[in-house]
Amino acid sequence: MVNKQALKEIDSICKKHNAQLVAVTKKRSTEEVRELYELGYHIFAENRVQDLLAKKELLPDNIEWHLIGHLQRNKVKYIVPFVKLIHSVDSIRLLSEINKEAEKANKTVDCLLQFHVAQEESKYGIIPKNIDTFISNLTTIETNNIKIRGIMGMASFTEDKNQIKKEFMQLKSIFEMLKKEYFKENDFSILSMGMSSDYKIALEEGSTLVRVGSALFE
Ligand SMILES: *Cc1c(COP(=O)(O)O)cnc(C)c1O
């Protein structure tokens, strides 16, 4: 069930920071998602393509769906026709595939570059020291049908608030650097950071979009 009290509080904190609240519906039943929908929330995120497709099928058409988890190239074609924002782009080959499928679908797909700044090992996310290589490789592919709107990242799973804050500051500085040096358009404007356990810290460090799941439910 939706925790209405928590939802109200999180929503009001996001509004205070002018940030977008994206409700992460992974592992939640269709009924729970519908409950959120009926409370007026229409921006939802899933981390797996299968789950995204399954939920989309059962829920109203005017939902804005985001993908926040790792995306395999062979699954790009299933989501391109409807997805509003892909948060988890971390390779040139993936971007290239998204562009190809978007061209076929005759549309432009909004993407975020995912960065890995947390302490845990992860196969996913661009390593900050590889930014320059990534950017120079970006100029070698067709990008007419994709729009890079900003970046996404996750902080470490730790109780250490200082560590979390440091990582969000690092993401913010990557975002500012990319905006200044490479993506000067106004629509490079999304800094996607903050989840249930750390969204308050993320908002204080300049997040423009939080991805909150478990805290919205009881
Ligand atoms: C699951 C998930 C979230 C939301 O996590 P909660 O702790 O449930 O708020 C946010 N971002 C990503 C990438 C996720 O996989």
Side-chain angles (χ1 to χ4, degrees), residues 115 126-136 174 177-178 182:
F115 282 90
I126 303 159
I127 314 276
K129 72 171 163 51
N130 297 338
I131 292 181
D132 291 339
T133 315
F134 188 92
I135 295 290
S136 70
I174 292 168
M177 183 282 286
L178 287 174
Y182 303 108

Short mmCIF file of all heavy atoms in Angstrom, two decimals, residues 115 126-136 174 177-178 182:
data_model
loop_
_atom_site.label_atom_id
_atom_site.label_comp_id
_atom_site.label_asym_id
_atom_site.label_seq_id
_atom_site.Cartn_x
_atom_site.Cartn_y
_atom_site.Cartn_z
N PHE A 115 26.81 7.65 -14.04
CA PHE A 115 28.19 7.64 -13.53
C PHE A 115 28.31 6.79 -12.29
O PHE A 115 27.39 6.71 -11.46
CB PHE A 115 28.66 9.07 -13.23
CG PHE A 115 29.04 9.80 -14.48
CD1 PHE A 115 28.10 10.54 -15.19
CD2 PHE A 115 30.33 9.70 -14.99
CE1 PHE A 115 28.45 11.17 -16.38
CE2 PHE A 115 30.68 10.32 -16.18
CZ PHE A 115 29.74 11.06 -16.88
N ILE A 126 29.62 5.02 -15.93
CA ILE A 126 30.89 5.52 -16.46
C ILE A 126 31.77 5.91 -15.27
O ILE A 126 31.30 6.54 -14.32
CB ILE A 126 30.64 6.76 -17.35
CG1 ILE A 126 29.67 6.42 -18.48
CG2 ILE A 126 31.95 7.34 -17.89
CD1 ILE A 126 28.98 7.64 -19.09
N ILE A 127 33.05 5.51 -15.33
CA ILE A 127 33.98 5.89 -14.27
C ILE A 127 34.41 7.34 -14.55
O ILE A 127 34.80 7.64 -15.69
CB ILE A 127 35.23 4.99 -14.30
CG1 ILE A 127 34.86 3.52 -14.45
CG2 ILE A 127 36.14 5.24 -13.10
CD1 ILE A 127 34.51 2.77 -13.25
N PRO A 128 34.31 8.22 -13.53
CA PRO A 128 34.63 9.63 -13.79
C PRO A 128 35.94 9.88 -14.54
O PRO A 128 35.99 10.74 -15.41
CB PRO A 128 34.65 10.24 -12.39
CG PRO A 128 33.66 9.42 -11.63
CD PRO A 128 33.82 8.01 -12.16
N LYS A 129 36.96 9.08 -14.25
CA LYS A 129 38.23 9.37 -14.94
C LYS A 129 38.17 9.03 -16.44
O LYS A 129 39.06 9.42 -17.20
CB LYS A 129 39.41 8.68 -14.25
CG LYS A 129 39.48 7.18 -14.42
CD LYS A 129 40.82 6.67 -13.88
CE LYS A 129 40.88 5.19 -13.60
NZ LYS A 129 40.46 4.27 -14.66
N ASN A 130 37.14 8.33 -16.85
CA ASN A 130 37.00 8.00 -18.28
C ASN A 130 36.10 8.96 -19.06
O ASN A 130 35.76 8.70 -20.21
CB ASN A 130 36.45 6.58 -18.44
CG ASN A 130 37.40 5.54 -17.86
OD1 ASN A 130 38.59 5.80 -17.72
ND2 ASN A 130 36.87 4.38 -17.52
N ILE A 131 35.73 10.07 -18.43
CA ILE A 131 34.80 11.00 -19.09
C ILE A 131 35.33 11.48 -20.44
O ILE A 131 34.62 11.48 -21.44
CB ILE A 131 34.52 12.25 -18.23
CG1 ILE A 131 33.74 11.86 -16.98
CG2 ILE A 131 33.72 13.29 -19.03
CD1 ILE A 131 33.40 13.03 -16.09
N ASP A 132 36.59 11.89 -20.47
CA ASP A 132 37.12 12.48 -21.70
C ASP A 132 37.07 11.50 -22.86
O ASP A 132 36.70 11.86 -23.98
CB ASP A 132 38.55 12.99 -21.49
CG ASP A 132 38.56 14.19 -20.56
OD1 ASP A 132 37.50 14.84 -20.43
OD2 ASP A 132 39.61 14.48 -19.97
N THR A 133 37.45 10.25 -22.57
CA THR A 133 37.39 9.22 -23.60
C THR A 133 35.96 9.03 -24.06
O THR A 133 35.67 8.93 -25.26
CB THR A 133 37.90 7.87 -23.04
OG1 THR A 133 39.08 8.13 -22.30
CG2 THR A 133 38.16 6.87 -24.13
N PHE A 134 35.05 8.98 -23.08
CA PHE A 134 33.64 8.78 -23.41
C PHE A 134 33.15 9.89 -24.34
O PHE A 134 32.54 9.63 -25.37
CB PHE A 134 32.79 8.74 -22.13
CG PHE A 134 31.36 8.35 -22.39
CD1 PHE A 134 30.96 7.02 -22.32
CD2 PHE A 134 30.41 9.31 -22.73
CE1 PHE A 134 29.64 6.65 -22.58
CE2 PHE A 134 29.10 8.95 -23.00
CZ PHE A 134 28.71 7.63 -22.92
N ILE A 135 33.46 11.11 -23.98
CA ILE A 135 33.00 12.25 -24.77
C ILE A 135 33.62 12.25 -26.17
O ILE A 135 32.95 12.53 -27.16
CB ILE A 135 33.33 13.59 -24.05
CG1 ILE A 135 32.55 13.68 -22.73
CG2 ILE A 135 33.04 14.78 -24.95
CD1 ILE A 135 31.06 13.86 -22.88
N SER A 136 34.89 11.89 -26.26
CA SER A 136 35.47 11.91 -27.59
C SER A 136 34.93 10.76 -28.44
O SER A 136 34.73 10.92 -29.66
CB SER A 136 37.00 11.97 -27.56
OG SER A 136 37.51 10.76 -27.11
N ILE A 174 30.51 16.79 -11.80
CA ILE A 174 30.58 16.19 -13.14
C ILE A 174 29.49 16.82 -14.02
O ILE A 174 29.73 17.19 -15.17
CB ILE A 174 30.38 14.65 -13.06
CG1 ILE A 174 31.58 13.99 -12.36
CG2 ILE A 174 30.17 14.05 -14.46
CD1 ILE A 174 31.35 12.52 -11.99
N MET A 177 30.48 20.36 -14.98
CA MET A 177 31.58 20.35 -15.94
C MET A 177 31.07 19.99 -17.34
O MET A 177 31.38 20.66 -18.32
CB MET A 177 32.66 19.36 -15.47
CG MET A 177 33.90 19.30 -16.33
SD MET A 177 33.70 18.35 -17.84
CE MET A 177 33.71 16.69 -17.17
N LEU A 178 30.24 18.93 -17.41
CA LEU A 178 29.72 18.50 -18.72
C LEU A 178 28.87 19.61 -19.35
O LEU A 178 28.92 19.85 -20.55
CB LEU A 178 28.89 17.22 -18.57
CG LEU A 178 29.68 15.94 -18.30
CD1 LEU A 178 28.73 14.78 -18.02
CD2 LEU A 178 30.59 15.60 -19.48
N TYR A 182 30.58 20.62 -22.64
CA TYR A 182 30.12 19.82 -23.78
C TYR A 182 28.64 19.93 -24.13
O TYR A 182 28.27 19.73 -25.28
CB TYR A 182 30.41 18.33 -23.52
CG TYR A 182 31.86 18.03 -23.25
CD1 TYR A 182 32.28 17.68 -21.98
CD2 TYR A 182 32.80 18.10 -24.28
CE1 TYR A 182 33.60 17.40 -21.72
CE2 TYR A 182 34.13 17.82 -24.03
CZ TYR A 182 34.53 17.47 -22.75
OH TYR A 182 35.84 17.19 -22.50
#
